[in-house]
Amino acid sequence: MEELDRRIVGMLAADGRMSFTDLGRALGLSTSAAHQRVRRLEERGVIRGYRALIDHDAAGNPLTALISVTPVDPAAPDDVPDRLRDLTELDSCYSVAGEESYVLQARVAGPLQLEELLARIRAAASVTTHTTVVLSTPWEDRLPPAD
């Protein structure tokens, strides 16, 4: 990826609502040239979309947990992500190497909701779970370097 495209990605990662005019001005490009560059980055899949960053504490889900899952029957089809896709408390699903098959990131209101979610995960996907509760988050969602 060209240096200019890296700068565009970094700037949009920091402020996805930046106008093409402001982006062009910051990069020494015309508005049209900035728009074309961003469109090409989107078409190539470098920029996959834009989203709001949520303060989960303010949204009522202050408890973050990492849930490792292992199939009860290792011979069963590997369809855990499909079985859990509709559980809205789950932010992410990572396929991992090691004893566990997947690590899930969950956001819930409190311990009772986490316990209920774990029961639904076990029932829906026929898995065992190992859960780590996050005490604090010094940083997350790091931005790519702008230069």
Side-chain angles (χ1 to χ4, degrees):
M1 186 164 50
E2 293 180 33
E3 179 60 28
L4 185 57
D5 289 341
R6 287 185 198 286
R7 290 180 60 203
I8 290 170
V9 168
M11 293 175 76
L12 289 177
D15 180 4
R17 296 181 66 177
M18 179 179 275
S19 71
F20 295 123
T21 301
D22 291 342
L23 184 63
R25 187 176 300 125
L27 297 169
L29 299 173
S30 68
T31 300
S32 173
H35 182 250
Q36 288 175 2
R37 287 255 181 186
V38 170
R39 189 178 37 138
R40 278 190 296 234
L41 289 166
E42 292 169 344
E43 288 170 354
R44 289 180 16 219
V46 175
I47 297 174
R48 296 185 310 169
Y50 303 87
R51 64 184 180 137
L53 297 177
I54 307 301
D55 179 329
H56 294 283
D57 290 349
N61 292 311
L63 192 150
T64 301
L66 303 175
I67 306 163
S68 300
V69 299
T70 305
V72 172
D73 177 5
D78 185 7
D79 59 356
V80 169
D82 294 330
R83 290 174 177 243
L84 300 178
R85 190 171 310 280
D86 293 332
L87 297 180
T88 58
E89 299 92 339
L90 299 178
D91 276 353
S92 303
C93 176
Y94 304 101
S95 176
V96 297
E99 291 185 32
E100 293 88 8
S101 298
Y102 295 92
V103 174
L104 312 169
Q105 179 175 301
R107 310 262 189 183
V108 294
L112 178 61
Q113 290 77 16
L114 178 58
E115 185 176 24
E116 292 169 352
L117 175 62
L118 292 171
R120 288 186 295 149
I121 289 170
R122 290 181 194 120
S126 189
V127 294
T128 61
T129 60
H130 177 86
T131 304
T132 301
V133 172
V134 175
L135 299 177
S136 69
T137 306
W139 50 263
E140 70 180 339
D141 294 326
R142 294 182 87 175
L143 300 177
D147 47 25

